[in-house]
């Protein structure tokens, strides 16, 4: 097998070594998990039963055909019944379950994808058309599988260990959540940028990933061996034994370093000169609180609540459902503050796959704009968050604010939610703090408007960079322009930190810059005292803080802030690391 290397954008650290699992777009809607050895036959039976059920369904359809129905209709049903009985559908997917341990839905779709590819090559247009019939039959089986039968338990610790690396043209953040299974150890996509939400989810899953790989999904074959070097953004396909050995050694060294870091879990984050720093966690779902607690986070600085809304075919979670989830997070954090950001839907976080997006989604009806346009939905979320505040310390964070009237309307909606709950006798924290994301340059340039109305600020550097530099954070063709150290970006961040301090309100950074150890000292020097990041990054950042001396960093940082030369800034930031 030929070995080759692909270069892309590093988005998530570490090294992954595993087999390629090519993900076809059609396969995204079903759950993917590996079935434990002892459940394999039951999983095979689950698929067999679904096949029998569809047979019966087709028979009933045939019998119920009206007498005057066109003859083609009966013929179509016959063709579907024939397809269903063909070993390519009735047997091949069963083998996939037995040999690859895929769950039934995944096994069926894998087989359908392989068949579809073969059909694409057929020249006879009539036969080529039969691909659609096969897909329709598969859909019927999937419906039965997903509707009735209970999926079996996924593989547990120490069981079947086929480690897979997902290779796809693109994976949406919601789809990525389908792969929260220990068997998936890495992601490679053709498209995407450093701070696309797909990359962010990979970081939060603490899985090595590389995006912007251009042709990866066409060059890599199913089951190829792959190494992802997450730090370098390099993917090595079918590596030689020597290369594999070297990477295994690096992987072991990384694991050892990680173990060492774990010793810092209980150490307070204090700089050498005694300044305490608050380290918070970014989470997507309440389950992530376990990792936040494990890393010793002081609380949650960003709960991206939109992940509760995604991948549900546009079915919005009810107020009660949301309340249960927020409460779970609040209880899990055991009294530490949980900052729940209100729905930040839109752009690269659509509510569902099929949603038609605007021409310029990042500039469109997203986040608070969407919420204010859908007041009932917004009110339900605010009520749910407030109800959760009766169970611990909750803060509300509003994304994408730029206008005073948006702040005022948001606050009015919160007041309305509170008034309703009060009237209904439902408990909540009357003093719940409300903060603004500073992630649009206009906000950073109009800070008095914010500090006057808000209890705290949180800088969303991912969007702040996107909007300041006018580059789409998910477009890999402009990814090289995405520079957190651009002097304009640094000025906006510094201005926000200073304005917050002057007004006596807390300022955090919750964008990806907060978790980048290469930038920890710069941000400390700029006066930042609250960092919010993925739990996996927290201990490395803490280590950097423990080794930092603010008295020495501050004058150097002031010098950096006076510079407008990108190379000089980059050099000086590197120098900070050595201080
Ligand atoms: C940001 O923009 O920096 C941020 C934290 O929010 P998100 O990445 O979810 O847009
Ligand atoms: Mg943002």
């Amino acid at each position: 097998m030929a070995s080759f290397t692909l270069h892309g954008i590093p988005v998530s650290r570490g090294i992954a070594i595993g087999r390629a699992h090519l993900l076809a777009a059609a396969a995204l809607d079903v759950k993917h998990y590996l079935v434990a050895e002892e459940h394999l036959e039951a999983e095979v039976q689950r698929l067999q039963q679904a096949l029998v059920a569809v047979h019966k369904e087709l028979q009933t359809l045939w019998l119920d055909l009206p007498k005057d129905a066109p003859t083609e209709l009966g013929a179509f049903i016959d063709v579907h019944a024939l397809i269903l009985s063909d070993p390519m559908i009735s047997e091949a997917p069963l083998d996939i379950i037995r040999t690859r341990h895929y769950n039934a839905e995944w096994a069926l779709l894998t087989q359908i994808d392989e068949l579809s590819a073969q059909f694409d090559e057929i020249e006879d247009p009539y036969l080529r058309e039969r691909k659609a019939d096969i897909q329709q039959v598969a859909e019927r089986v999937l419906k039965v599988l997903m509707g009735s039968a209970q999926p079996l338990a996924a593989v547990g610790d120490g069981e079947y260990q086929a480690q897979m690396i997902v290779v796809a043209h693109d994976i949406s953040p919601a789809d990525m959540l389908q792969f929260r299974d220990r068997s998936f150890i890495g992601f490679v996509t053709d498209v995407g940028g450093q701070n696309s939400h797909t990359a962010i989810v990979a970081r939060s899953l603490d899985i090595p990933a590389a995006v912007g790989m251009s042709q990866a999904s066409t060059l890599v074959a199913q089951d190829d061996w792959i190494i992802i070097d997450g730090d370098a953004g390099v993917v090595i396909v079918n590596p030689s034994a020597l290369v594999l050995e070297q990477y295994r050694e690096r992987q072991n060294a990384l694991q050892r370093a990680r173990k060492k870091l774990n010793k810092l879990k209980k150490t307070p984050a204090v700089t050498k000169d005694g300044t305490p720093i608050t380290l918070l966690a970014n989470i997507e779902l309440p389950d992530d609180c376990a990792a936040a607690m494990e890393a010793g986070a002081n609380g949650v600085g960003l709960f991206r609540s939109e992940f509760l809304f995604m991948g549900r075919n546009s079915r919005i979670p009810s107020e009660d459902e949301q309340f249960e989830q927020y409460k779970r997070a609040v209880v899990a954090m055991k009294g530490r503050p949980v900052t729940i950001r209100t729905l930040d839907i839109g752009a690269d976080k659509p509510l569902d796959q099929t949603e038609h997006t605007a021409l310029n989604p990042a500039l469109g009806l997203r986040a608070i704009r969407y919420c204010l346009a859908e007041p009932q939905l917004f009110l339900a979320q605010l009520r749910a968050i407030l109800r959760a505040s009766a169970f611990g310390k909750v803060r509300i964070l509003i994304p994408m604010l730029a206008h005073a009237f948006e702040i005022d309307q948001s606050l009015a909606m919160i007041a309305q939610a509170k008034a309703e709950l009060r009237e209904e006798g439902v408990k909540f924290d009357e003093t719940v703090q409300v903060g603004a994301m500073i992630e649009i340059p206009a906000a950073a340039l109009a800070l008095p408007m914010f500090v006057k109305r808000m209890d705290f600020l949180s800088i969303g550097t991912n969007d702040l960079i996107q909007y300041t530099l006018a580059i789409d954070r998910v477009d890999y063709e402009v990814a090289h322009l995405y520079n957190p150290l651009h002097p304009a970006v640094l000025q906006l961040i510094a201005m926000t930190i200073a304005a917050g301090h002057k007004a006596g309100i807390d300022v955090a950074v919750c964008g990806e810059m907060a978790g980048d150890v290469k930038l920890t000292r710069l941000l400390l020097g700029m006066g930042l005292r609250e960092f919010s990041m993925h739990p996996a990054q927290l201990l490395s950042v803490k280590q950097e803080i423990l080794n930092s001396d603010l008295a020495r960093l501050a004058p150097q940082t002031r010098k950096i802030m006076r510079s407008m030369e990108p190379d000089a800034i980059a050099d000086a930031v590197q120098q900070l690391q050595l201080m």
Side-chain angles (χ1 to χ4, degrees):
M1 256 182 280
S3 171
F4 56 96
T5 303
L6 299 167
H7 293 262
I9 302 163
V11 293
S12 181
R13 310 193 60 187
I15 288 166
I17 303 173
R19 295 270 195 189
H21 167 59
L22 285 180
L23 196 67
L28 289 170
D29 301 333
V30 303
K31 283 229 177 311
H32 293 63
Y33 54 88
L34 293 170
V35 177
E37 185 77 44
E38 65 267 32
H39 296 313
L40 282 183
E41 276 318 303
E43 190 69 357
V44 164
Q45 273 177 26
R46 193 162 80 85
L47 181 51
Q48 280 171 329
Q49 280 161 6
L51 293 166
V52 171
V54 173
H55 251 302
K56 283 194 186 138
E57 221 176 87
L58 289 174
Q59 258 171 6
T60 316
L61 265 178
W62 204 92
L63 291 173
D64 289 351
L65 272 183
K67 293 245 170 329
D68 54 352
T71 46
E72 288 89 345
L73 261 186
F76 267 126
I77 296 174
D78 284 340
V79 168
H80 281 199
L82 275 174
I83 291 173
L84 197 61
S85 322
D86 193 288
M88 66 185 179
I89 299 286
S90 62
E91 282 168 26
L94 307 180
D95 286 342
I96 295 179
I97 297 177
R98 289 192 182 105
T99 55
R100 297 198 206 165
H101 289 226
Y102 290 6
N103 59 307
E105 292 88 343
W106 183 12
L108 179 65
L109 273 180
T110 303
Q111 171 65 4
I112 298 300
D113 286 340
E114 278 167 25
L115 286 174
S116 300
Q118 288 168 20
F119 270 80
D120 285 340
E121 284 169 14
I122 295 177
E123 285 198 4
D124 178 348
Y126 173 79
L127 281 179
R128 210 169 47 225
E129 289 272 304
R130 303 284 62 80
K131 176 176 144 182
D133 290 310
I134 292 181
Q135 278 167 337
Q136 283 160 11
V137 170
E139 267 164 33
R140 274 187 190 282
V141 182
L142 279 177
K143 226 183 245 166
V144 175
L145 274 175
M146 298 201 279
S148 57
Q150 274 301 308
L152 285 165
V155 182
D157 276 331
E159 292 175 7
Y160 184 71
Q161 288 286 323
Q163 307 227 287
M164 270 177 285
I165 290 176
V166 179
V167 180
H169 177 67
D170 193 13
I171 311 178
S172 77
D175 292 326
M176 214 163 208
L177 295 183
Q178 299 267 24
F179 294 96
R180 286 179 163 238
D181 177 310
R182 270 168 303 238
S183 337
F184 297 101
I185 53 159
F187 293 98
V188 177
T189 61
D190 296 347
V191 297
Q194 163 124 81
N195 288 309
S196 61
H197 283 92
T198 304
I200 289 174
V201 177
R203 278 195 283 274
S204 89
L205 296 175
D206 198 13
I207 282 181
V211 306
M213 284 285 169
S214 198
Q215 303 273 319
S217 69
T218 44
L219 295 175
V220 176
Q222 177 74 23
D223 291 328
D224 272 352
W225 274 103
I226 289 190
I227 298 174
I228 302 179
D229 181 340
D231 298 272
V234 166
V235 169
I236 306 168
V237 186
N238 296 319
S240 67
L242 188 69
V243 171
L244 202 58
E245 178 64 27
Q246 283 170 344
Y247 270 96
R248 287 213 194 279
E249 263 170 36
R250 270 186 61 192
Q251 207 176 24
N252 289 339
L254 282 174
Q255 265 159 13
R256 283 195 297 274
R258 202 173 263 223
K259 268 204 186 127
K260 229 165 116 189
L261 269 183
N262 275 345
K263 299 204 176 109
L264 296 181
K265 236 186 265 175
K266 296 211 169 105
T267 311
V270 179
T271 57
K272 269 184 170 171
D273 51 296
T275 308
I277 306 295
T278 305
L279 295 182
L280 303 162
N282 289 357
I283 64 166
E284 272 93 48
L285 293 170
D287 282 348
D288 300 334
C289 288
M293 290 295 282
E294 183 61 25
N298 301 120
V300 169
L302 173 66
F303 178 169
R304 289 185 161 96
S305 71
E306 54 277 9
F307 280 83
L308 298 175
F309 290 66
M310 283 153 50
R312 303 167 53 104
N313 295 323
S314 296
R315 203 183 64 76
I316 305 284
S318 67
E319 178 187 320
D320 282 347
E321 277 176 84
Q322 288 185 60
F323 161 65
E324 289 300 336
Q325 299 295 330
Y326 302 143
K327 181 179 152 192
R328 268 185 62 209
V330 171
V331 171
M333 291 311 293
K334 300 194 166 112
R336 293 166 183 80
V338 176
T339 312
I340 304 176
R341 180 175 69 184
T342 58
L343 189 60
D344 184 4
I345 214 73
D348 68 329
K349 289 179 288 190
L351 265 182
D352 82 76
Q353 288 312 344
T354 53
E355 192 179 310
H356 292 288
T357 43
L359 271 182
N360 232 328
L363 303 182
L365 193 67
R366 62 170 284 205
I368 191 61
R369 304 168 182 182
Y370 181 88
C371 286
L372 292 176
E374 299 281 346
Q376 286 315 316
L377 176 144
F378 193 30
L379 198 60
Q381 179 173 41
L382 293 172
R383 287 176 51 107
I385 297 174
L386 285 168
R387 284 168 59 192
S389 73
F391 297 85
K393 188 166 165 51
V394 167
R395 306 197 303 175
I396 300 176
L397 180 59
I398 316 279
M400 290 279 294
L401 289 166
H403 302 273
F405 75 85
E406 288 170 336
I407 309 176
D408 293 339
Q409 281 180 10
S410 303
L411 293 174
M413 293 285 283
I414 293 170
Q416 183 182 338
K418 281 183 173 177
E420 286 179 9
L421 293 176
R422 230 175 268 128
E423 188 143 310
E424 293 161 24
V426 179
K427 279 200 191 129
F428 65 93
D429 175 8
E430 285 280 0
T431 64
V432 74
Q433 289 194 334
V434 183
M437 296 272 303
I438 302 296
E439 52 184 343
I440 299 181
L445 293 167
L447 288 160
M449 196 166 94
F450 285 81
V451 295
K452 181 167 127 190
R453 295 169 164 88
M454 289 300 193
D455 301 315
F456 66 97
L457 303 177
S458 192
I459 309 175
T461 50
N462 309 336
D463 278 315
L464 189 63
I465 298 169
Q466 156 165 269
Y467 295 124
T468 305
L469 303 180
I471 44 149
D472 189 336
R473 64 196 259 192
V474 299
D475 186 348
Y476 72 99
E477 289 185 310
V478 289
H480 61 291
L481 301 175
Y482 193 96
N483 179 14
L485 294 181
H486 190 292
V489 172
L490 296 185
Q491 297 296 328
L492 294 173
I493 295 173
M495 280 160 59
T496 309
I497 295 171
H501 288 179
K502 196 167 156 219
I505 65 174
D506 287 343
V507 180
V509 168
C510 66
E512 298 298 298
M513 280 177 80
D516 185 344
V517 283
K518 294 188 293 304
L519 304 177
T520 306
R521 292 179 185 217
L522 175 68
L523 292 170
L524 284 172
M526 286 162 109
L528 190 72
R529 300 293 176 259
E530 253 187 53
F531 294 65
S532 192
M533 69 205 82
H534 301 292
Q537 300 158 327
L538 204 135
L539 292 176
S540 314
V541 171
K542 189 190 276 187
Q543 190 176 42
E544 202 62 14
I545 289 168
L546 295 172
N547 291 325
S548 296
D549 182 349
L550 289 185
R552 295 180 66 197
L553 289 179
Q556 276 308 104
T557 311
R558 275 197 295 276
K559 234 163 95 185
I560 293 175
M561 294 309 298
R562 282 195 296 272
S563 174
M564 284 289 153
E565 283 306 319
D567 289 346
I569 293 177
D571 281 350
V573 170
Q574 252 182 9
Q575 289 301 318
L576 287 183
Q577 306 284 109
L578 308 173
M579 291 182 69

